Each structure stands twice: as structure tokens, then as C-alpha cells.
Amino acid sequence: MGGGAALALGAGAAHALSEDWLTARGFRPGMPIEGEETTPVEYATAYNNFYEFGTDKDDPARYAHEMTVDPWTVDVAGEVAKPGKLGIEDLLANVDLEERVYRLRCVEAWSMVVPWIGFPVKTLLDRFEPTGAAKFVEFETLHRPDEMRGQRSFFSGIDWPYREALRLDEAYHPLAIFAVGMYGKVLPNQNGAPLRLVVPWKYGFKSIKSIVRIRLTRRRPSTTWNDLQPREYGFYANVNPTVDHPRWSQASERRLPSTLFSPNRIETRMFNGYEEVAPLYADMDLRRNY
Ligand code: MTE
């Protein structure tokens, strides 16, 4: 098919994001984090949390190909002047992509350094014109039990779909991004294709994968892990080495790759080292800010 015809077909369609799409779009390269090595891609794409595909770290890499990501639509509703349900390509039509190399700190005390490709959350939300009443933003993952074996499991205990939320001023912080790619390519399914959140100063569970629904709200939405175990997983979930998880310390973390013989333990930093977000929490008691 000629390039022109493909382009015409692409307009208005909800096709998956392909490598060709990313090559055509391009992205502004990011800076590596000084003094920290980027985690090898084979770890970042094989050691995952995506409970929709099972609870073992290798389940997502093994089973996430069963999820259909083409076509993909995202529904944006709630406190917005212009609600809409858009195909993923339309949603990203005028968005400039950039690379951001971020630390990712899981609440389970392991961490990685990942080069994401994405754009600020604000860029997307502004397009739908949040009203003055919008105070929070809620995100929802795809719910499709016939393609997501973890959603068929009676043992997961999770009330699907997976839901996460941010205060609107957190979402509008320039560090908060939506990612569509990593390591120079489009996101693999196990990492949350085709669209996921990345909030680097918060524990990884806030960075919800494979988003299909976004809703701006007046009240604080309920969220999956906070619902399941509020004593262990706070709504804010800011990385905080001084507040332990009830079952383990959060003072340090295992930086991947790590082995029994080379544990690679490093100290955890407040806000995962992204101290510039501190003003967002100026009126909160950080000893309880978990
Ligand atoms: N999003 C969904 N939909 N389902 C999940 O189980 N796990 C979260 C987060 N996003 C999860 C999710 C957790 S606990 C972490 S640590 C990160 O995804 C892991 O992201 P990664 O697998 O890309 O490293």
C-alpha cells in the first residue's frame, strides 16, 4: 500500500501504535540520569507487575500478548467541557513525544531506571477542558476477562477493573507523564500498551497500565490497592523511606538487576529523589504521608 493511502486510512482510525507510527512521529531524546545506569531492557520487560495477567513477575511477559490492543479507544468524561471517546491515534495526533529517563520504585522495595517515551499528562487533559469543579482524575485499565487471565481468577481478590487516581494538581505536575513507549520502541503489552501513566515520585502501583477510561471528578475516587488494603497502600503513595510498609521496611530498595550474590541494595530517597514535587504536599504530615 502506498504511503498516502495508508495515511488516509490512518486518519480517524483507532489503530494500535506500531513501530512505524513511532518512527514517523519521532521523539525528543532524553537525558540519562547522572550516576545511575538504565536497567537493561530484558529486565524491564520480563519482571513486571500486571495482575490482570497473574501475580508472578513473569506472568505479564508470558500472557500479555493475549490482550488485543488494536483497535484501542480512550473515553474521557466527567468534569470536562469537551468529553469524548477517541481512537488512540487521534488522541495522540498533535502530541509531541519525548523521552524521559525515570526511576521506578515499586512498593515491594525493588526499583529500576526506565527510558519512557511519552508526554505530560496535562497535554492530554487540557484537550478535554477540565471544568473549575474538577479536583481529581481517575484512570481505569481495560476489563476484558477473556483476554486477561488474572481477571478470570477467583484468587486475585481485586475488584476489576484496576483503578488509580491523582489529585489534579499532581496530574498537572510536569513530571507526570503518559507513556506510549520505552527503550525507543512502542510499549510492550506487559508494560501497559498502548497508554500508561508514569508518576515517578510515587510507588509503582499508581502508574496504571493499559488505560481505557479517564474521568475528572469533584471527589476523591476510590482506587484499587487503597480499597483492597488501606493500611498498606495509601491514596497518595508517595515514595517515603521514613514510613515503612506494615510488613517491610521502605528505607532501602533492590535495584534491578539484582541477584542473591549481588543484591544491589540502595537507599530509598524521599519522593524517589524527585524532591521538586514537595510543594504539592506542603500542608501534609510526611510521617503519615503514605
Ligand atoms: N497497572 C495495572 N493495570 N495492573 C497492575 O497490576 N501494577 C502496578 C503498575 N501498574 C499494575 C499496574 C505496579 S504494582 C507496578 S510496580 C508497575 O505497574 C510496574 O510497571 P512495570 O511492570 O512496567 O515495571
Side-chain angles (χ1 to χ4, degrees):
M1 188 185 290
L7 208 68
L9 266 181
H15 288 310
L17 307 181
S18 64
E19 291 307 333
D20 285 350
W21 172 86
L22 185 59
T23 307
R25 290 295 295 269
F27 59 90
R28 188 150 43 86
M31 297 281 285
I33 302 175
E34 218 183 296
E36 294 192 57
E37 274 175 43
T38 298
T39 304
V41 62
E42 56 273 24
Y43 287 87
T45 57
Y47 187 93
N48 300 104
N49 275 335
F50 201 164
Y51 275 43
E52 284 83 341
F53 299 103
T55 53
D56 287 344
K57 291 288 178 282
D58 56 357
D59 282 339
R62 213 185 279 166
Y63 301 121
H65 68 272
E66 293 170 359
M67 169 175 69
T68 308
V69 293
D70 182 5
W72 193 274
T73 55
V74 180
D75 192 3
V76 184
E79 289 294 343
V80 286
K82 295 186 172 163
K85 189 171 178 176
L86 292 182
I88 186 77
E89 280 198 340
D90 282 350
L91 192 71
L92 305 178
N94 298 310
V95 165
D96 286 331
L97 299 178
E98 56 179 301
E99 188 172 51
R100 297 269 185 104
V101 185
Y102 279 162
R103 288 179 286 272
L104 173 90
R105 169 60 158 84
C106 180
V107 73
E108 299 162 342
W110 54 265
S111 65
M112 307 196 231
V113 176
V114 179
W116 303 105
I117 300 166
F119 56 93
V121 170
K122 180 180 190 314
T123 308
L124 190 147
L125 296 187
D126 277 352
R127 179 165 171 191
F128 296 89
E129 300 182 11
T131 69
K135 295 286 177 284
F136 293 88
V137 53
E138 178 188 44
F139 308 91
E140 218 172 85
T141 296
L142 180 69
H143 185 222
R144 198 177 283 159
D146 51 333
E147 295 182 3
M148 298 171 124
R149 53 182 67 217
Q151 291 180 339
R152 299 198 292 269
S153 162
F154 292 112
F155 303 107
S156 74
I158 291 175
D159 180 20
W160 307 108
Y162 193 102
R163 282 163 295 110
E164 259 311 332
L166 298 171
R167 234 170 43 197
L168 200 57
D169 58 338
E170 297 181 297
Y172 271 43
H173 192 280
L175 285 175
I177 60 166
F178 283 115
V180 296
M182 64 197 285
Y183 296 87
K185 297 189 165 169
V186 294
L187 282 179
N189 284 9
Q190 63 265 35
N191 293 93
L195 184 75
R196 74 173 285 172
L197 194 65
V198 182
V199 197
W201 69 93
K202 291 180 179 285
Y203 290 119
F205 66 86
K206 298 294 288 184
S207 292
I208 181 173
K209 297 177 170 182
S210 303
I211 296 167
V212 290
R213 196 157 166 267
I214 299 173
R215 215 157 58 90
L216 284 288
T217 66
R218 292 164 183 251
R219 299 227 167 84
R220 192 172 105 178
S222 70
T223 55
T224 294
W225 286 103
N226 189 234
D227 266 10
L228 207 60
Q229 195 42 275
R231 280 187 53 250
E232 303 196 350
Y233 310 105
F235 173 82
Y236 283 95
N238 292 319
V239 176
N240 188 340
T242 68
V243 179
D244 289 339
H245 185 280
R247 290 183 279 134
W248 59 82
S249 163
Q250 293 292 25
S252 68
E253 64 202 54
R254 197 164 50 85
R255 174 61 57 82
L256 299 180
S258 105
T259 65
L260 210 51
F261 304 106
S262 164
N264 210 11
R265 274 214 99 80
I266 59 172
E267 277 182 19
T268 291
R269 291 152 69 186
M270 189 66 207
F271 297 121
N272 203 20
Y274 298 97
E275 302 273 353
E276 60 264 55
V277 301
L280 289 171
Y281 312 103
D283 58 352
M284 286 173 70
D285 180 356
L286 290 183
R287 287 163 306 175
R288 299 185 53 228
N289 181 19
Y290 177 67

